[in-house]
Amino acid sequence: MSTMTERNFMLRDTKFVKSLETVGFALLIIGVVAGVASFLLMDADHEPLKRFFSSYLLAYTYFLGVAVTAMFFSALQYLVNAGWSALVRRIAEMFAPFIFVIILGFIPIVIDVFSTHQLFEWTHAGVMDPNAANFDPILKGKDWFLNPTFFVGRVIFYCVVWFLMYQTIVKNSLRQDEAGDDHTPTRRNKTLAAPMVILYALTISFAGIDLVMTLYPHWYSTMFGVQFFGGSFVATLSIIALFTVFLKEGGYLPQVTSEHYHDLGKMMFAFNVFWAYVSFSQFMLIWYGNLPEETVYFMDYRLVGGFEYFFYAIIVLHFALPFILLLPQANKRNPKILGGVAVLIILMHFIDLAWYVNPSLYHGHFTFGLQEISLFLFFAGMFVWMAASQFKSKKAVAVNDPFLEESVHLIS
Amino acid sequence: MDEQTLTQESGTRTIAAADAAGVNKDDVIAVLGNFTDPDKLTHAAQEIHAAGFVDFDIYTPYPVHGLDKAMGLPKTKLPLFSIGGAAFGLANAIFLQWWTATIQYPLNIGGKPYFSPWFGMPVMFELTVLLCALTTVFVMFGLMCGLPKWWHPLQDDEGFRKAVDDTHVVSIEAADARFTVESATALLGRLGADDVRVVTA
């Protein structure tokens, strides 16, 4: 233990933090400039307001999944008494404060649900009114769930849960840094991790259902929450792996070895297969069941008009290529290949999510472009910049974690 | 031989290292030593490997991470068999589904195509995983662990049986070119092994 606490893992003004700040700031500026340009240049016929909200929802949902799942990653390590991860767990915790941006970021979506009505069909005027021309009896039957009040209630519940997760799991991990050999904060986390993981499972599933699945409220899939979790988890693991590679190769975490890369690579591989398994199960059962109200979701929306190329790209670049690249042991231990696959998965998760969000809103029209990308870059900029501020003020390693010594000597 | 020598059912005998001076060298099967601390064991494995021994083995009640490297074992060929089994399973699943559904006995089910990769995928997945797992397990048992094996010359040694309970057992075998009873017992004694002993036929 002494060897670890002697080292100061405060990265303060190191090149790593400075580069993170620069990259974050650059992404933020590019996002804003590209966003302003692309939305101002849009034809009024193409509904720029709707496009703004849909691009916002897409980028927002992506980073919601990543920030909340980063806390889940930390809780999971406590829950299963993981020894291997003590050295890299703090990297995930650095992403956790982004949930405050996520909590505030719900406000535009709530505004849309109540007043502008650009996104969700079930908020449109008349669909719940039996006398209106566009009355939809199917949506009327679902109005106990799909109504603005209950929606906001659920959103507040998610925010409270994520705030609690942050206050317990992440804060206790930080308290352990100062607590020396008194392991009370770690013991508390071990107890709290179990209920927090259950609450996480509920909130991430329902957040995925509320934000993405209800964009096309006639369709339903019991797999949807799990597939949103799987995609978010593999993207989060990729971001953790990428940061680990940068920290190790920059010389800030000399204790990280190819054994840690190997274990991170194994988790990325496993959860990429998990995500593919769940996504394919959803698709295959609908193909086989061949029920019109279910197949329309793919046949008329997602496999036509240009979105079918997203589908092929997801199969090849999100599943097949990472599968082949991460299969050999030597590749998982190679920082260049591991980092490269991580970048690929990070980008492809965005394409995967866009393939679920955009077709629901732009029926039959291929809609994906600078607007989506600029808001993604804007959110990515905030995310990286926030991570930089965390690395500036907190230790990059959980220095007093009882498992740290085990993690340093990890042999996988 | 005095009372420390035990004669066992299958005829092998265990002799404590201190009493091994007069033992017939042609009868010696192996020199054993027990370890309870896995770190000491890993260190011992490194030292025995560094001393040039090749025919030595370690029996542990649970997988000790890093031991294969410490022992200087070559990288296993098992993944090649695994991927071969997986490819065979996948090819089988594709061929059997395609052939039965389109050539041998075509059936129209709800107007669906006779063969499609979508419905074939679960069977492809299952057969790939199944044959990969079966190949891995049986190749490991058969080619690498030499199973099934009804008798092992060390099995009657009392201390050796602890390898399934709470002790790691190191055996340096007489088949090794560098083996002498003196060098093996001295090495194990120096590395901190408990109960160093010689097993003879």
Side-chain angles (χ1 to χ4, degrees):
Chain A
M1 190 64 54
S2 57
T3 53
M4 295 301 294
T5 38
E6 278 165 26
R7 283 187 167 276
N8 191 350
F9 284 99
M10 294 291 268
L11 299 183
R12 281 198 186 86
D13 287 322
T14 50
K15 197 165 157 264
F16 177 75
V17 172
K18 287 218 170 95
S19 330
L20 271 190
E21 277 177 336
T22 316
V23 169
F25 196 64
L27 288 173
L28 208 68
I29 295 294
I30 295 170
V32 170
V33 172
V36 169
S38 56
F39 284 108
L40 283 184
L41 291 175
M42 262 182 90
D43 206 334
D45 298 347
H46 289 101
E47 301 174 284
L49 187 63
K50 181 178 176 185
R51 190 73 184 274
F52 170 77
F53 273 114
S54 79
S55 309
Y56 180 87
L57 181 81
L58 175 57
Y60 175 80
T61 313
Y62 183 101
F63 284 95
L64 180 152
V66 168
V68 179
T69 306
M71 294 195 292
F72 161 72
F73 178 82
S74 179
L76 188 63
Q77 309 311 317
Y78 283 107
L79 184 65
V80 302
N81 264 354
W84 71 273
S85 59
L87 200 53
V88 296
R89 200 191 64 232
R90 179 56 51 80
I91 298 171
E93 287 158 2
M94 296 292 194
F95 307 142
F98 200 72
I99 61 141
F100 293 107
V101 176
I102 294 301
I103 289 171
L104 289 176
F106 254 124
I107 292 168
I109 294 169
V110 170
I111 288 173
D112 181 66
V113 166
F114 275 107
S115 82
T116 48
H117 306 314
Q118 296 295 320
L119 290 174
F120 298 99
E121 194 185 332
W122 47 270
T123 64
H124 290 181
V127 288
M128 301 291 187
D129 177 6
N131 301 316
N134 62 344
F135 172 64
D136 191 328
I138 292 173
L139 291 192
K140 183 70 188 158
K142 297 181 178 186
D143 74 344
W144 66 273
F145 192 82
L146 296 178
N147 66 74
T149 321
F150 191 27
F151 180 85
V152 171
R154 290 196 299 270
V155 162
I156 292 171
F157 174 71
Y158 308 151
C159 292
V160 167
V161 167
W162 297 335
F163 180 72
L164 280 179
M165 258 181 114
Y166 181 78
Q167 286 297 326
T168 53
I169 303 291
V170 180
K171 279 284 168 71
N172 275 338
S173 170
L174 293 169
R175 271 183 212 120
Q176 184 64 64
D177 285 5
E178 314 301 326
D181 286 339
D182 171 23
H183 291 147
T184 320
T186 300
R187 266 201 300 280
R188 281 200 186 127
N189 260 5
K190 280 183 185 164
T191 316
L192 285 165
M196 285 304 163
V197 165
I198 293 170
L199 284 170
Y200 164 81
L202 285 174
T203 52
I204 197 80
S205 307
F206 276 93
I209 288 168
D210 276 341
L211 291 171
V212 183
M213 200 170 99
T214 67
L215 290 171
Y216 185 75
H218 286 196
W219 182 80
Y220 46 86
S221 160
T222 47
M223 281 292 200
F224 203 88
V226 189
Q227 99 76 43
F228 180 64
F229 156 73
S232 297
F233 196 27
V234 70
T236 310
L237 288 167
S238 301
I239 296 175
I240 295 169
L242 191 63
F243 269 71
T244 310
V245 168
F246 282 143
L247 281 165
K248 161 70 179 172
E249 303 307 315
Y252 302 100
L253 282 185
Q255 289 82 0
V256 169
T257 63
S258 55
E259 309 289 342
H260 298 92
Y261 288 155
H262 192 181
D263 276 357
L264 281 167
K266 278 189 261 185
M267 277 200 88
M268 273 164 65
F269 179 84
F271 279 93
N272 201 39
V273 173
F274 174 79
W275 159 86
Y277 182 89
V278 174
S279 300
F280 179 76
S281 301
Q282 175 177 283
F283 179 83
M284 193 271 292
L285 284 176
I286 288 168
W287 183 92
Y288 211 94
N290 208 14
L291 300 172
E293 72 264 34
E294 289 179 350
T295 52
V296 69
Y297 193 71
F298 293 107
M299 287 298 287
D300 290 359
Y301 284 75
R302 279 160 186 80
L303 296 175
V304 289
F307 278 116
E308 69 269 31
Y309 298 110
F310 274 35
F311 177 69
Y312 302 137
I314 289 164
I315 294 174
V316 175
L317 297 176
H318 197 332
F319 172 66
L321 193 59
F323 182 90
I324 293 164
L325 283 176
L326 286 180
L327 195 55
Q329 195 184 55
N331 285 3
K332 286 185 281 250
R333 302 171 81 96
N334 180 332
K336 287 202 182 81
I337 295 177
L338 185 71
V341 174
V343 171
L344 181 67
I345 292 177
I346 289 166
L347 296 177
M348 285 315 295
H349 177 52
F350 181 61
I351 298 295
D352 181 43
L353 211 52
W355 189 64
Y356 279 104
V357 170
N358 280 15
S360 292
L361 289 159
Y362 306 100
H363 183 186
H365 299 282
F366 181 78
T367 311
F368 185 81
L370 198 56
Q371 289 88 341
E372 279 77 12
I373 293 167
S374 63
L375 269 151
F376 177 72
L377 293 178
F378 176 73
F379 266 88
M382 284 199 289
F383 188 81
V384 173
W385 190 79
M386 196 126 180
S389 78
Q390 293 299 308
F391 275 106
K392 211 172 193 173
S393 59
K394 290 169 187 165
K395 294 193 180 83
V397 168
V399 285
N400 281 323
D401 194 281
F403 283 113
L404 191 56
E405 201 62 27
E406 186 181 332
S407 180
V408 169
H409 301 292
L410 172 71
I411 294 165
S412 63
Chain B
M1 302 296 162
D2 56 18
E3 67 271 15
Q4 292 234 9
T5 306
L6 295 164
T7 304
Q8 286 136 346
E9 298 163 36
S10 54
T12 57
R13 286 173 301 166
T14 296
I15 305 157
D19 306 313
V23 73
N24 181 359
K25 288 194 168 46
D26 295 336
D27 289 345
V28 174
I29 296 167
V31 172
L32 304 188
N34 287 7
F35 288 85
T36 43
D37 179 359
D39 292 334
K40 249 187 187 171
L41 175 76
T42 309
H43 174 71
Q46 277 165 345
E47 292 290 313
I48 297 168
H49 174 60
F53 286 101
V54 181
D55 285 326
F56 73 102
D57 213 342
I58 300 179
Y59 305 88
T60 59
Y62 56 86
V64 177
H65 290 277
L67 204 54
D68 47 346
K69 238 177 242 169
M71 289 171 72
L73 296 179
K75 205 167 175 312
T76 173
K77 299 254 183 320
L78 196 55
L80 293 177
F81 290 98
S82 302
I83 201 155
F88 180 67
L90 180 64
N92 245 326
I94 295 173
F95 175 75
L96 272 175
Q97 287 185 95
W98 166 81
W99 181 70
T100 50
T102 61
I103 309 281
Q104 198 247 354
Y105 204 90
L107 269 181
N108 186 335
I109 299 163
K112 290 190 177 66
Y114 288 131
F115 180 72
S116 158
W118 304 129
F119 80 73
M121 203 72 84
V123 175
M124 292 179 208
F125 170 76
E126 298 297 347
L127 268 187
T128 308
V129 171
L130 178 71
L131 284 190
C132 178
L134 289 180
T135 314
T136 309
V137 167
F138 285 108
V139 166
M140 186 183 76
F141 279 178
L143 292 185
M144 302 189 176
C145 304
L147 294 176
K149 180 179 279 182
W150 309 115
W151 182 79
H152 190 277
L154 302 178
Q155 72 185 23
D156 291 326
D157 177 67
E158 274 308 311
F160 181 73
R161 290 178 178 175
K162 287 184 185 165
V164 293
D165 183 10
D166 58 356
T167 310
H168 311 288
V169 180
V170 177
S171 90
I172 301 179
E173 277 142 39
D176 195 285
R178 288 168 177 268
F179 181 88
T180 58
V181 175
E182 293 76 23
S183 69
T185 48
L187 180 61
L188 282 177
R190 186 167 62 75
L191 293 169
D194 305 324
D195 188 20
V196 179
R197 56 206 186 277
V198 181
V199 175
T200 65

